[in-house]
Amino acid sequence: MAFTGFTDEAFEFYEGLLADNSKTYWTAHKETYERCVRDPMIELLAELEPEFGAAKMFRPYRDVRFSHDKSPYKTHQGGYTSSGFYFQVDADGLMVAGGMYAPTPEQLRQYRAAVDTESTGKALEAIVDDLRATGMEIDGDRLKTRPRGFSEDHPRIELLRHRSLYAHEGWPADPWMRTREVVDRVRESWRRLRPLVEWGSEHIGPPDFTR
């Protein structure tokens, strides 16, 4: 079926889950999750697939084996493409992102080598600047000091500090999200993110969302 939008029930479902992250709540509202969150996201990702590649959804259940937080359910629903585009719905609204999320040690080494290299490093710097200029927020895990082997006065030291690097933007829950305008907004945002995603794919390989 064609995507028609996210209803208010989707955001209300996550508001309730934030207040009561329990199996009792989940079981009582599972039909709402499937109808208002899961199914619309499947339809949305299917419409974007011809341009951005096959997409998958994360499981809604948290892996609590090694976590102090034993809450059983994620308070958002994310979907992603293998190349590095990301979409999310939660109580606050919608969010899109793209970039380098959880690199392996070898991917991080390759990333820093590419940032250190004049041509590829300047290309990434220009991409990041362009995304900021369009209103995207640049984020990611960063070292507080310089990475080993690089000087503090390196011209791209801020990029070198990143252990993950992605850009994102979001929209608070709003009536337009009940319509197909969501498809257009996500598509336009992913197109703006494409240079960052393609830079990462070329120089360090695609992200592994399962890590």
Side-chain angles (χ1 to χ4, degrees):
M1 294 180 63
F3 175 80
T4 57
F6 290 101
T7 65
D8 293 345
E9 287 178 276
F11 310 113
E12 292 167 358
F13 166 80
Y14 280 113
E15 288 175 357
L17 187 61
L18 284 168
D20 181 11
N21 195 318
S22 68
K23 185 176 181 180
T24 300
Y25 176 88
W26 182 268
T27 301
H29 297 84
K30 185 177 180 181
E31 185 275 335
T32 301
Y33 163 78
E34 292 175 346
R35 175 172 50 85
C36 300
V37 177
R38 185 196 65 184
D39 292 351
M41 183 175 284
I42 290 172
E43 295 161 358
L44 171 65
L45 295 176
E47 293 208 29
L48 295 166
E49 185 172 315
E51 180 173 351
F52 300 98
K56 296 182 179 180
M57 291 174 57
F58 287 106
R59 289 167 53 86
Y61 313 104
R62 296 184 63 248
D63 183 352
V64 300
R65 291 174 298 171
F66 309 107
S67 174
H68 292 297
D69 180 2
K70 299 303 181 182
S71 301
Y73 305 103
K74 297 174 183 176
T75 55
H76 62 272
Q77 178 63 62
Y80 64 95
T81 72
S82 60
S83 56
F85 297 101
Y86 178 80
F87 174 81
Q88 177 178 300
V89 56
D90 60 21
D92 293 329
L94 308 180
M95 190 263 284
V96 292
M100 177 181 74
Y101 301 97
T104 64
E106 175 58 21
Q107 285 180 317
L108 183 56
R109 185 198 66 78
Q110 292 175 332
Y111 165 78
R112 288 186 173 143
V115 173
D116 185 40
T117 301
E118 191 76 1
S119 58
T120 52
K122 281 189 171 182
L124 178 60
E125 194 171 40
I127 290 168
V128 167
D129 288 345
D130 286 345
L131 287 171
R132 280 201 182 101
T134 68
M136 291 272 186
E137 184 174 346
I138 307 301
D139 216 330
D141 183 34
R142 299 171 67 231
L143 294 171
K144 293 181 179 179
T145 60
R146 63 179 176 82
R148 185 176 302 172
F150 297 95
S151 64
E152 284 287 355
D153 62 354
H154 191 288
R156 290 175 294 282
I157 190 61
E158 293 305 315
L159 288 175
L160 288 168
R161 287 193 176 114
H162 277 268
R163 290 184 290 199
S164 60
L165 175 68
Y166 52 90
H168 62 91
E169 69 176 342
W171 307 279
D174 194 78
W176 64 262
M177 294 176 185
R178 304 174 196 152
T179 74
R180 286 185 52 78
E181 186 176 342
V182 174
V183 180
D184 296 330
R185 291 213 189 193
V186 175
R187 181 182 288 116
E188 191 274 333
S189 292
W190 279 7
R191 284 174 176 171
R192 284 190 284 131
L193 285 161
R194 181 176 278 131
L196 179 61
V197 169
E198 290 182 344
W199 187 97
S201 295
E202 179 179 356
H203 298 293
I204 67 173
D208 181 1
F209 284 97
T210 63
R211 295 181 65 242

